[in-house]
Every structure is written in C-alpha cells, then in structure tokens.
Amino acid sequence: MKDNNRFRLDTWGAITLAVLGLYLLFMVYPLGNLIKMAFYGDNGFTLDNFVKFFSKQYYSSTLGNSFKVSLAATITSLLVGVPMAYFFAMYRIRGKGLLRILIIISSMSAPFVGAYAWILLLGRNGVVTNFLQNLLGISVPDIYGFNGMLLVFTTQLFSLIFLYVAGALSKVDNSLLEASENMGCVGVRRFFTVVLPLITPTVLAGALLVFIRALSDFGTPMLIGEGYRTFPVILYTEFVGEVSQNKGFASAIAVIAIIITTVVFYAQNFVSKRKSFSMNSLHPIEPKPLRGVKGILVYVFCYVVVGIAILPQVYVLYTSFKKTSGTIYVDGYSLDSYINMFTRLGSSIQNTLIIPVVALVAVVLLAVLIAYLSVRRRNALTSTVDVLSMVPYIIPGTVVGIALVTSFNHKPLAFTGTMFIMAMALVIRRLPYTIRSSVAILQQIPITIEEAALSLGSPKMKTFFQITVPMMSSGIISGAILSWVTMISELSTAMILYTGRTQTLTVAIYTQIIRGNYGIAAAMASVLTVITVISLLVFNRFSKNGEITM
Amino acid sequence: MSQITIKNAVKRYGSTTVISGLSLDIRDGELFTLLGPSGCGKTTLLRMIAGFNSIEGGDFYFNGERINDKEPNKRNIGMVFQNYAIFPHLTVRENVAFGLKNRKLDRATIARETDRFLDMMQIRQYADRLPENLSGGQQQRVALARALVIRPDVLLMDEPLSNLDAKLRLEMRQAIRDIQKEVGITTVYVTHDQEEAMSISDTIAVMRDGAIQHLGTPRDLYQRPGNLFVATFIGRTNILPGELRGGALVLPSGYAVEAPDWQDIPDQKVQVSVRPEEFVIGPAGAAGIPGTVVDSVYLGLNTHYIVDIGLEQKAELIRESTIDDEVVPGSQISLTVKREKINLFDQQGEHNLLRG
C-alpha cells in the first residue's frame, strides 16, 4: 500500500471506476437527459417551458403552495418532535419503550395511507366528523387542502425529528447539564441556553429531511390536497396526463424542483457547519422521575401525540376487518376484504418483496464499498463518487422516476417497465442514507485493525471481507432493515415506473383508494403494516442500541 | 533473522517535509528504540518500515533486499499497535492463528504454533474467549503472540505500553524484553517515554523534527548525550552557563574546575549540563557555587533539593538520604560538581564537546 490518498488502478481503483460508471449511467445521464428535455424543444434551445410555468397562475401557484405547506410542516414537526425527544431523554416515563416503537412504526408507514385514514376519520363523511356533527352539533374544520396535509405531514414526520434529536441527546454528557445547574441555570432556560445549541446541527439536519420529504411527497396531496395543488402533483399529472403528455414541460418542473431542494440543502448545510460540535458522552443524561402538574402535562403530551400519530394505522387495521358491501362499509365484521384483496393483488405482494430484496442487496454492497472508498481512500475520484451519491438525497422521488423512465425507454437501454428499473430507482434513492450510516460505522473502526491484518500477510480484499466487513456487520444489517422498510412503503417513484407486471403493494393500495375500494385498500395497507412491524422487530434484534439513522 | 538498513529516507505530506534524509542501521536481533517527543517523526518512520506510509525518497532494506515497493502483507513483519488492534470478532486463538492461516500452513502446524505462543504469552486459558472480555494487559499479550507466531523477520512496536496503567506497564515491559531475547528477533520499538526506552533497549535513536539527534546505548545517551536536547530529554539535568579557559571550566560565581579531558578543547563559552546527582553539597563558604536551599523533598532512598544559585533557573539536586538531614530549607550551602560526569556543550547546544 503506497499512498492511500492517490488514485491507483488496483482493486479499489477498479471498484471506484465501476461505481463511478454506474452513477454516470443511472443518475447523471438520466438527470442530464431531464435537463436537456426541459431546455430543448422541437426547435432547439428554448425557455418556453419555464415561461409557461411562471406565467400561468395554475402552475406557478403550486410553488408557493408546496413551500408553504412544507415549511409549516417542518415547523410543527419541530414543535412536536423536539420537546418529545427532550422529555424522553430527561424524564422517566412509563411505557417509554412502547411509545418509541409506536413512533417508529408511524414514521415508517407510507404517508398516503395516513392521508387516507384521516379522510376516513375527519373527512366530509368521516367517522369523527359525523359523530361530532350529529351528537354535539360541532362542525369540524375542513380536512382537505392545506390543513389536512399539514396534519398528515406533522403526525408522520415529527417522528423523524424525534429520532434525530433523541440520537443527539444521547451524546450530550450529563456533566454539562449538571454544570449548568450548578451555575443556577435549569429548566426551560437551560434547554434554550445549553441543550438546544448543542443539538442545533441535528435539529437542522432533521428539519431539512422533513422539509424535503414534505416537499416531494406525492400521495398525500393527491388524496387530501384537492384544490391545494403542490409541485409533485402537477409534476405527475403533467407527466402521465391522460389528456396531453408534455414531457418537456414536466422536465422543466422537475428542474425547478431540483433547484429548490438544492438551495434548501445548501442553506441548511451552511448554517449547520457553523454550529457543529463533536460530542461523545461518557455519562449519558440520567432520566429523572416526574412529579406534580408538570408530570401530568408531560404524560398527556407524550401519550396524546403518539396516540394521534398511530391512530391512522390502527384505524386502517380496524376497517380492514369491517364488512363491506361493494365500496361501502356496513355493520358487522368479516374477513371479506382480505379475501377480495387477493383477487386484486396480482403479483404485487411478490413484487413488493422481490424488487426491494434485489435493490437491498445492491444498496448494501454499493454502500459498503462507497463508504470504504470515501473513508479510507480519499482522492479526487472517490470524492466525486461521494458527492454524486448524495445527489438523490435532495431529489424528489417523482423526479428520479421521470428521469429514469424517459432515459431508458429505447434500445439499447430499454429498461422502462422492467423490475430492473424499479429496483434501480430504489437503489439510487436509498443509497445516500445507507452510505451515511456505513461511513459512520467505518469511522468507528480504527485503521490499525486493517493494518494488523495486512502485516499478518492478509491481502487487501481478503482483509476487507474477513476483517472490515464482519466488524461493520451489525451496523450494516440494521441499516439494511431500515432501508428495506422504506423501500416497501415507497410510492412516488413506483407510481411513475410501474406497469401491470411490476405493480407494488403501495401502488395497489393507492389504486384501490382512488377507486373507492376502501375495504380492500385497508386490508392491503394492514398487510404492509404487518410486514413493516415484523421488519422493525427484526431490526431491534440486530441493532446494538436501537438507534435509527434515516 | 534480519537486519534493517535505511538510507536517506524522505517523508513528505503534501508540501511539508516531515523526515528529510534519515539513515540508520539496525543490527540483527537487537531491540532498537525510536525515542522522541510527539511529532518528532518516530511513528512515521516506523510506518514507513511497515509499509503503511508511502516513502517519498531513500531506500529501505531488509537483509540487503530493497523493500520500498513491497506490499505490507509481503514484508513478513510482525506489528504491535498502540491500541492493540485485536480483531474483536475473532477469539483469542483465531486472532493468533490469523497470520498462519494467511500463510496457508497445514492445520496441525497452525494448531501447534498457536498453542506454543499462547503458552509463551501465558494466555492459553483465554484462548476461546472474545477479546472484549480481556484486560488491556491480556489484549497486549494477544497482540504480541499474534505478531510473533508468524516468525516475522522484524517486529515493529508502536507505543505498545502507553494504554496500560503504571504497574502493568512495568510488568509488560519486562515481558516484552524477555520474549524478544528468547525469540531473538530484530525489533523496532517506538516510544515517547524515555524511562521505558532506557529500560528495554539495546540501542536508542533519539529523534527530533524528523532527524536523529543521538544514536547509542542507553548508557551512552545518559552519560555523554550528543547535544543539549538529548541531555534534557533523557533524564533530568541542570543547564548552567560557563566558560572554558585553558582547560579550566569557570562557572557562574567564579567557581573553577579542571579536568584532564578538557585540556585539548579550545577556549569558548559553553553550556554545562549537570545532572541532579552530579552535584555535591558542601558547607557554606567552601570552594564551589554558593547557594540557598529553597525546598527539600524526602523520597525515601533519596532526598531532592531545590537550590537558589543566583541564576534564573533554580538548581535541582539529589543525594542519598541521611539519617539526620542537616540541609533544611533556608540553609546556606556550597555546591561542587563531579567533574568526570558532567557534560559540556558548545554555545548553541548542538555538540557535546566531550564527544570529540
């Protein structure tokens, strides 16, 4: 081994080139293609698509809408998620373990299922709406549009903030809190002057993730948005539009979406960098018992929030056992929904298992290799791979879908409509998260362990597979299970890419909801939830500290 | 067995040169120590020998064979790391056998050799445990067994004792020395602890700023340090200004000493290194440097004195404790030096005038 930080065409050099090639083919080329379509019409270079977007209120308003609802959702998620994580870290709360699992489950479910459940509960003909209306004469505020989206996003995405902040708080040393207490600073004041500044970078990272998730979510605004059109909705309707397909225009919208998320990403990065600390706690914060009115308030807050967050899942599960007649629920219970489900599923359960499994193998392999390259072999080429691999983090799933579908629809690369392209989309979208967690694991492993193996005569690749990979394995497995869970509940890319043969469970659920087959949709969603819960239980077995990296 | 030769080694990180043209010879079977403060380049040099750092210039030879371009896994070296670098997912036995398996030896040989070194390092009873259940000292024994079992040409040790507590460090120091002599392997040992280096080494190279300051035996280093840096780095010493005039050394306060060795040295201003035990306390008014005792510390075998001799730096001296200590703080005394032991350096402190 000469200088590790200079490119050499050894095994690792070849791997670098191969990974780079994959990114060029499956990400740079499709995105480049997308940008080309946005700027080139039949008569060469044109800005017509952009002019059309900004000159018509119908389109340009979606920009403001998306921004408003995403920003609002980010703020409400912070307002719920940060205090929740803080209470969990500071106080002994009964049932904490259960609450944690419920929060994770709610965060892992597909948002559009939440949207659909909230319609059943609070919609025009919702159970709660009717109940309040008939018995108490109270009319519930309109759930459709901005309010409903905010509700769905908050109840689902606060969990991301919660998990991020809980992770950061576990690294705050108790002595910092004690020192602050010693100097007479406690309670809310201590939270704002000591705790919050320490976890600011994490809070910002979580906020970015929430903002981007909300901005690029497609299912929620489709179901509950109604007149409140957001970006991904017009992106989708323009792209697959039954009346007129305008790929150039859809591409232009996609380009605008990428620009917005990129700006937000860099703004977040800029702020985070200036406020980051490295912490490692010897003595984690010791949770204290709760007493008095304060205690009651904390309990009420935690249980009510988690209750609301998990309510959609529970209600969907409940309705899946209700008797249906056609598309309407009637009194009584039955398993009909499950029985009918199988006639509508086609191969979607298989697809939901096979596509993510294939994607998962590729994600894990690539993530481990890329993480190794970027930690142990820093050079210009591996840095390029590193940057490229992070790009999909800020690109909405719908955009990835459109880019792939338009770039691989002709020979020699006719992948559109195949399982391969669906798996590829999942790989591209999930890699940034898995790479990040693998990098974190690898940085914990001292390089001397590898050097010891080399000095004992073990060749480089053998060292990697016999020493490095086994040491990373528990982290890799728990990361893989999380990837798996997000993959099976993915909708926005699948909606663009699927065909009859490659329909997934989420697509099937969505289709059934749109058609009004609520019973079947509920049964399918319950199946998805069960798969998710089982996966998370497996995750808990493999994860050392139950820490979740999204 | 093996000897190591390094000729004009150069190490650069970007545009900074860390080592510029360092040469040394390490004899077969000796325990050779690279000693110096942190950042002096000792670990860098060791890692160049191991093959973990690139070599920007010069030649490295094992037994006359140039190894510059040899991969680390082909160099047949055993290495012991500061953090032990034990494979946490393998048992103690698997850790020790790891290198033998890479050499594709038959199963019986692997088992026999592994057991031999487990016994030698007295860790046989932990053979089937995972390393996380072992103490630091036991882990270090595993690391040593693992490095030695492959019969390496050279053994490299990078601050192997610095993570151990004081008592274990003494014990392991002796263990390393015993094993090294028993196996007779050429060993390069890196440490910043001069006491550790003195106790364990056959030869020591004192390094500073990527260059060797003095290469010699522990006795040589202590008694006739090559320059002022070595004199202050190895053991403790007092530095006094002085002047050589016709073979006589004139110290501050006018006290003059003569020694036959000094006759041939030209007259010049010098820096004098007097170790604490090289002072002799005499009664006030006798010939010598007059001083006032500021403090005394009784340490059992020895008593330690701080004496104000009119210089900015107070003198430090040690002598064997007496039954009744008459030299209490505040006493006026007179200090003479053991002339055959003290060292004289040129004004810049770069050369020991007694080393010719």
Side-chain angles (χ1 to χ4, degrees):
Chain A
M1 195 190 314
K2 306 289 287 189
D3 196 340
N4 280 339
N5 300 327
R6 195 175 305 147
F7 180 78
R8 282 194 308 148
L9 195 65
D10 56 3
T11 320
W12 282 111
I15 291 172
T16 310
L17 291 180
V19 170
L20 197 62
L22 282 178
Y23 269 110
L24 288 179
L25 182 60
F26 289 105
M27 201 187 72
V28 176
Y29 164 65
L31 287 179
N33 202 27
L34 195 76
I35 294 169
K36 198 185 100 191
M37 285 199 301
F39 286 102
Y40 282 86
D42 297 332
N43 312 316
F45 182 81
T46 171
L47 286 175
D48 284 356
N49 290 323
F50 293 89
V51 172
K52 180 178 168 190
F53 182 87
F54 285 105
S55 60
K56 287 196 179 158
Q57 173 72 18
Y58 178 84
Y59 298 120
S60 58
S61 65
T62 61
L63 209 64
N65 285 349
S66 275
F67 223 83
K68 255 185 275 174
V69 76
S70 305
L71 195 63
T74 309
I75 292 168
T76 50
S77 298
L78 285 172
L79 290 178
V80 177
V82 175
M84 186 90 149
Y86 181 71
F87 293 151
F88 267 50
M90 295 296 292
Y91 303 115
R92 258 184 244 151
I93 299 171
R94 276 171 203 279
K96 203 188 260 184
L98 177 70
L99 289 181
R100 228 187 108 87
I101 291 171
L102 292 178
I103 291 173
I104 294 170
I105 291 173
S106 77
S107 79
M108 290 296 175
S109 66
F112 74 95
V113 173
Y116 146 74
W118 283 113
I119 292 174
L120 293 183
L121 288 165
L122 289 172
R124 280 183 203 105
N125 201 21
V127 185
V128 179
T129 318
N130 290 343
F131 177 81
L132 293 175
Q133 193 85 47
N134 298 344
L135 277 170
L136 306 169
I138 305 169
S139 60
V140 180
D142 193 6
I143 185 78
Y144 301 95
F146 181 87
N147 292 337
M149 286 167 66
L150 186 59
L151 174 71
V152 172
F153 286 149
T154 308
T155 53
Q156 214 217 358
L157 298 175
F158 90 90
S159 52
L160 294 180
I161 303 276
F162 169 82
L163 293 170
Y164 264 63
V165 173
L169 285 174
S170 72
K171 294 198 176 69
V172 173
D173 200 290
N174 203 24
S175 59
L176 292 175
L177 299 188
E178 287 170 350
S180 140
E181 199 172 337
N182 203 295
M183 290 178 272
C185 177
V186 287
V188 179
R189 227 174 80 112
R190 180 172 67 182
F191 176 77
F192 282 103
T193 54
V194 179
V195 180
L196 195 58
L198 288 173
I199 59 172
T200 298
T202 314
V203 171
L204 289 175
L208 171 76
L209 194 61
V210 168
F211 183 86
I212 289 178
R213 289 261 172 111
L215 191 74
S216 44
D217 189 42
F218 157 78
T220 307
M222 278 304 261
L223 289 178
I224 209 170
E226 294 208 337
Y228 198 82
R229 283 182 321 277
T230 62
F231 230 64
V233 173
I234 56 157
L235 186 52
Y236 176 76
T237 48
E238 286 304 313
F239 184 74
V240 300
E242 274 137 34
V243 194
S244 64
Q245 274 198 353
N246 190 341
K247 297 216 160 94
F249 185 54
S251 305
I253 301 174
V255 169
I256 295 168
I258 296 174
I259 292 170
I260 291 172
T261 49
T262 309
V263 168
V264 174
F265 175 75
Y266 277 104
Q268 183 268 354
N269 232 358
F270 179 74
V271 182
S272 268
K273 265 204 184 122
R274 292 156 32 124
K275 298 191 181 260
S276 96
F277 310 94
S278 69
M279 289 186 292
N280 214 343
S281 69
L282 287 171
H283 312 283
I285 299 171
E286 190 76 32
K288 293 191 188 76
L290 272 166
R291 276 186 217 96
V293 183
K294 194 172 90 175
I296 296 170
L297 289 177
V298 168
Y299 266 91
V300 168
F301 175 79
C302 292
Y303 274 85
V304 166
V305 166
V306 175
I308 292 175
I310 204 70
L311 185 61
Q313 314 296 321
V314 176
Y315 189 68
V316 166
L317 193 63
Y318 166 73
T319 56
S320 72
F321 292 107
K322 282 192 73 164
K323 214 175 209 151
T324 53
S325 162
T327 59
I328 320 159
Y329 289 116
V330 293
D331 283 345
Y333 301 94
S334 78
L335 288 174
D336 291 349
S337 295
Y338 287 92
I339 295 162
N340 292 332
M341 172 179 86
F342 285 102
T343 61
R344 309 288 173 90
L345 274 174
S347 53
S348 51
I349 288 214
Q350 273 151 267
N351 291 341
T352 298
L353 298 178
I354 293 169
I355 297 172
V357 164
V358 172
L360 196 59
V361 172
V363 163
V364 168
L365 188 66
L366 284 171
V368 172
L369 292 175
I370 294 172
Y372 190 86
L373 289 174
S374 70
V375 174
R376 298 280 198 246
R377 312 266 154 161
R378 271 232 156 270
N379 61 42
L381 272 185
T382 57
S383 301
T384 312
V385 170
D386 208 30
V387 171
L388 285 180
S389 70
M390 287 313 291
V391 169
Y393 186 72
I394 54 168
I395 294 188
T398 324
V399 175
V400 173
I402 292 176
L404 287 175
V405 99
T406 50
S407 304
F408 296 113
N409 57 1
H410 46 75
K411 288 187 174 175
L413 298 167
F415 300 130
T416 302
T418 62
M419 278 200 188
F420 174 79
I421 200 161
M422 308 234 354
M424 184 48 77
L426 291 179
V427 171
I428 291 175
R429 292 197 58 204
R430 191 57 212 178
L431 260 179
Y433 302 93
T434 318
I435 291 174
R436 273 189 170 188
S437 60
S438 303
V439 164
I441 302 162
L442 199 53
Q443 279 165 342
Q444 304 284 314
I445 301 175
I447 193 168
T448 48
I449 300 247
E450 285 163 40
E451 290 174 348
L454 287 175
S455 78
L456 292 168
S458 170
K460 273 182 271 186
M461 290 319 283
K462 192 176 169 194
T463 302
F464 178 70
F465 284 109
Q466 280 198 348
I467 302 296
T468 317
V469 170
M471 285 180 67
M472 293 173 73
S473 62
S474 76
I476 294 172
I477 293 171
S478 52
I481 295 168
L482 286 183
S483 290
W484 159 259
V485 172
T486 38
M487 283 173 176
I488 58 175
S489 58
E490 203 283 335
L491 177 72
S492 51
T493 320
M495 275 306 284
I496 302 281
L497 293 174
Y498 88 97
T499 62
R501 277 187 309 124
T502 60
Q503 170 173 277
T504 60
L505 200 49
T506 48
V507 173
I509 298 169
Y510 182 81
T511 318
Q512 295 306 321
I513 294 173
I514 293 290
R515 291 190 190 150
N517 293 326
Y518 287 174
I520 295 173
M524 290 177 174
S526 302
V527 170
L528 186 63
T529 304
V530 168
I531 299 178
T532 305
V533 170
I534 292 173
S535 308
L536 288 173
L537 292 179
V538 177
F539 166 84
N540 255 358
R541 267 196 58 91
F542 279 103
S543 170
K544 266 194 188 134
N545 46 11
E547 204 170 290
I548 294 213
T549 21
M550 302 294 291
Chain B
M1 289 298 110
S2 185
Q3 60 187 35
I4 303 170
T5 306
I6 299 173
K7 284 185 182 152
N8 294 317
V10 177
K11 175 70 205 169
R12 275 186 223 103
Y13 287 113
S15 56
T16 27
T17 302
V18 185
I19 295 174
S20 56
L22 181 150
S23 300
L24 55 82
D25 281 294
I26 298 169
R27 287 193 308 274
D28 181 27
E30 76 172 333
L31 201 160
F32 186 97
T33 297
L34 296 169
L35 171 68
S38 56
C40 71
K42 56 191 190 298
T43 295
T44 304
L45 185 65
L46 186 83
R47 292 172 57 85
M48 287 165 88
I49 299 173
F52 298 134
N53 278 354
S54 59
I55 300 167
E56 271 71 39
D59 302 295
F60 286 65
Y61 299 95
F62 284 3
N63 277 340
E65 183 200 355
R66 189 169 180 277
I67 50 130
N68 285 41
D69 299 317
K70 232 179 178 180
E71 292 286 328
N73 54 332
K74 303 271 164 56
R75 289 189 186 189
N76 199 28
I77 43 167
M79 181 134 178
V80 176
F81 297 84
Q82 187 172 2
N83 61 358
Y84 322 136
I86 303 292
F87 307 130
H89 58 299
L90 303 181
T91 63
V92 167
R93 182 186 299 280
E94 286 165 343
N95 262 283
V96 176
F98 184 86
L100 295 175
K101 284 184 183 153
N102 281 313
R103 280 160 176 73
K104 306 221 165 27
L105 299 173
D106 64 275
R107 207 175 279 188
T109 317
I110 292 178
R112 192 183 64 239
E113 286 300 293
T114 304
D115 283 344
R116 195 168 97 82
F117 279 86
L118 287 172
D119 284 336
M120 192 190 284
M121 295 311 302
Q122 297 158 15
I123 45 172
R124 183 77 173 264
Q125 67 267 42
Y126 313 118
D128 298 312
R129 289 202 203 166
L130 283 176
E132 59 182 358
N133 303 320
L134 300 185
S135 70
Q138 289 161 347
Q139 292 200 26
Q140 191 57 280
R141 286 171 185 271
V142 177
L144 203 53
R146 184 179 70 178
L148 288 173
V149 75
I150 59 172
R151 308 281 164 128
D153 290 330
V154 288
L155 178 65
L156 305 180
M157 306 183 93
D158 185 9
E159 308 241 7
L161 304 183
S162 62
N163 283 357
L164 299 177
D165 64 48
K167 189 165 169 283
L168 252 176
R169 205 176 307 161
L170 290 183
E171 190 187 309
M172 279 307 293
R173 197 199 255 171
Q174 194 56 45
I176 288 174
R177 172 120 189 121
D178 292 346
I179 296 282
Q180 193 265 338
K181 289 297 161 228
E182 185 179 334
V183 181
I185 184 173
T186 312
T187 302
V188 186
Y189 189 102
V190 161
T191 182
H192 64 271
D193 180 336
Q194 50 98 9
E195 193 196 319
E196 184 178 309
M198 297 288 277
S199 68
I200 207 168
S201 316
D202 296 314
T203 308
I204 299 176
V206 180
M207 288 182 70
R208 183 174 66 160
D209 300 336
I212 292 177
Q213 304 294 310
H214 186 169
L215 193 152
T217 60
R219 175 186 293 269
D220 184 40
L221 244 57
Y222 190 80
Q223 293 185 342
R224 287 285 175 256
N227 59 30
L228 205 58
F229 169 76
V230 178
T232 51
F233 190 73
I234 305 287
R236 302 190 60 81
T237 194
N238 300 285
I239 304 297
L240 312 175
E243 198 172 345
L244 267 178
R245 269 185 238 137
L249 172 67
V250 184
L251 285 168
S253 79
Y255 168 58
V257 232
E258 279 186 61
D261 293 0
W262 305 346
Q263 299 304 327
D264 301 332
I265 306 173
D267 288 3
Q268 59 186 297
K269 292 203 164 180
V270 294
Q271 300 207 56
V272 187
S273 156
V274 185
R275 295 200 182 273
E277 71 276 17
E278 293 165 1
F279 276 119
V280 179
I281 299 177
I289 311 165
T292 312
V293 178
V294 180
D295 196 9
S296 78
V297 183
Y298 178 75
L299 295 171
L301 174 62
N302 295 318
T303 305
H304 202 135
Y305 300 93
I306 307 293
V307 181
D308 184 351
I309 51 170
L311 296 173
E312 198 184 334
Q313 194 68 38
K314 294 186 173 52
E316 216 184 292
L317 57 130
I318 288 177
R319 70 170 185 178
E320 197 180 327
S321 301
T322 50
I323 292 288
D324 302 305
D325 198 355
E326 66 281 15
V327 187
V328 292
S331 317
Q332 300 292 318
I333 53 168
S334 171
L335 295 176
T336 52
V337 299
K338 296 177 181 167
R339 67 192 69 190
E340 70 287 357
K341 282 195 168 179
I342 64 171
N343 284 282
L344 307 181
F345 299 94
D346 62 357
Q347 186 68 5
Q348 286 73 39
E350 280 166 9
H351 298 287
N352 188 334
L353 300 173
L354 306 181
R355 288 182 72 87

